[in-house]
Amino acid sequence: MIADIILPALGETLFMVLISTALAVIVGFIPAIIMIITAKDGLKPNETVYKILDTIINILRSLPFIILMVVLIPVTRFIVGKSIGTTAAIVPLTIGSAPFVTRIIESSLREVDKGVIEAAKSFGASTSQIIFKVMLPEALPSIISGITLTIISVVGFSAMAGAIGAGGLGNVAITYGYQMFKQDVLIATVVVLIILVQVFQSIGNLIYRKVNK
C-alpha cells in the first residue's frame, strides 16, 4: 500500500523539482549576467540597471514560498490553465527559485580572479567572450555547487506546495500523515525525502569534482 502511494508521489516530486530547477537556471541566468556586467566594478557599469534588478530579486527572495504560491495563483492559472496540480506548481517553484539561482551565479562570477579578466581584456576580448569563455568556465564549479543547493531547496519547496494541492510527496505527507493519521506513510515519506536529498547532493558533488579538475 505504501509503495502504491509513495512511488507515484515520488515521480510527481521529481517532475516538479527537475523541470522547475531547469527553468529557474534558465530564467535566473539572464539577470545574473546583466548584473555582473552592470555592477559598479563590472565590465560595463550601469548603476540604474543594477539597482532595478537587485531590488526585484531582493523582493522575490524575501517572500515566503507558501505566500508566493498564493500570490501567483492568477499567473499560474493564466499560464497553465489551472492553479493546482503538479504542472501548475512548476510556475511558482520556478519563480521562487530563479532569484536564488541569480544570486548564486552572480556570486560565483564575482569570485573569478580579476587578473584573469584583465588578461582577457588585454588580449582584446569582447564582453561576451569574457563572460562565456573566461568567467563562466572559471566559475563553473561554484555554480554547480549552487545549483545543487537550489535543487535541494526546491525539494523542500515542492513539499510545501503539496499543502495546497500540488501533489507529490508533500501532498502525501499532509493527506495521509496529518489528516488521516497514518504514521507509517508519513515516516516512509520522510525517509524517501531524506534519500532523495542525499542522492541529489551526491550527484552534485560528483559533477563538482568532475568539472573542478
Side-chain angles (χ1 to χ4, degrees):
M1 177 183 174
I2 292 178
D4 292 338
I5 295 169
I6 296 293
L7 290 180
L10 175 60
E12 291 175 351
T13 295
L14 287 172
F15 174 74
M16 287 188 289
V17 169
L18 296 178
I19 297 297
S20 57
T21 302
L23 292 174
V25 170
I26 294 170
V27 173
F29 178 80
I30 298 171
I33 295 301
I34 296 174
M35 290 178 73
I36 205 68
I37 292 173
T38 59
K40 187 176 181 179
D41 57 347
L43 300 173
K44 292 184 178 180
N46 188 317
E47 187 177 358
T48 302
V49 173
Y50 183 87
K51 283 189 174 180
I52 290 173
L53 288 174
D54 185 60
T55 301
I56 293 172
I57 290 167
N58 287 338
I59 290 172
L60 290 173
R61 289 185 66 196
S62 66
L63 291 174
F65 179 70
I66 195 74
I67 295 175
L68 184 65
M69 281 199 71
V70 175
V71 170
L72 290 175
I73 283 176
V75 178
T76 303
R77 189 178 289 118
F78 174 76
I79 295 174
V80 183
K82 55 184 178 180
S83 59
I84 60 173
T86 305
T87 304
I90 290 174
V91 175
L93 284 171
T94 300
I95 295 175
S97 305
F100 186 64
V101 173
T102 298
R103 286 300 187 199
I104 286 171
I105 296 175
E106 182 197 7
S107 298
S108 298
L109 292 174
R110 282 185 180 278
E111 292 173 2
V112 175
D113 188 351
K114 298 295 182 183
V116 176
I117 298 173
E118 292 301 323
K121 286 181 180 179
S122 67
F123 282 104
S126 64
T127 300
S128 61
Q129 287 175 328
I130 293 173
I131 291 291
F132 292 101
K133 293 186 177 181
V134 178
M135 298 181 73
L136 279 175
E138 289 287 326
L140 189 57
S142 179
I143 292 173
I144 294 297
S145 294
I147 291 175
T148 302
L149 290 176
T150 302
I151 293 174
I152 293 171
S153 297
V154 175
V155 171
F157 289 162
S158 70
M160 283 190 282
I164 57 175
L169 293 169
N171 183 60
V172 169
I174 294 293
T175 303
Y176 291 91
Y178 177 72
Q179 297 175 350
M180 299 175 65
F181 303 104
K182 293 184 179 294
Q183 293 299 314
D184 54 343
V185 178
L186 179 60
I187 292 171
T189 303
V190 171
V191 171
V192 171
L193 281 169
I194 292 173
I195 294 172
L196 187 61
V197 168
Q198 294 300 319
V199 168
F200 281 134
Q201 185 65 63
S202 298
I203 294 172
N205 291 342
L206 179 63
I207 296 173
Y208 174 85
R209 288 194 295 270
K210 290 287 185 181
V211 301
N212 199 35
K213 289 183 178 180

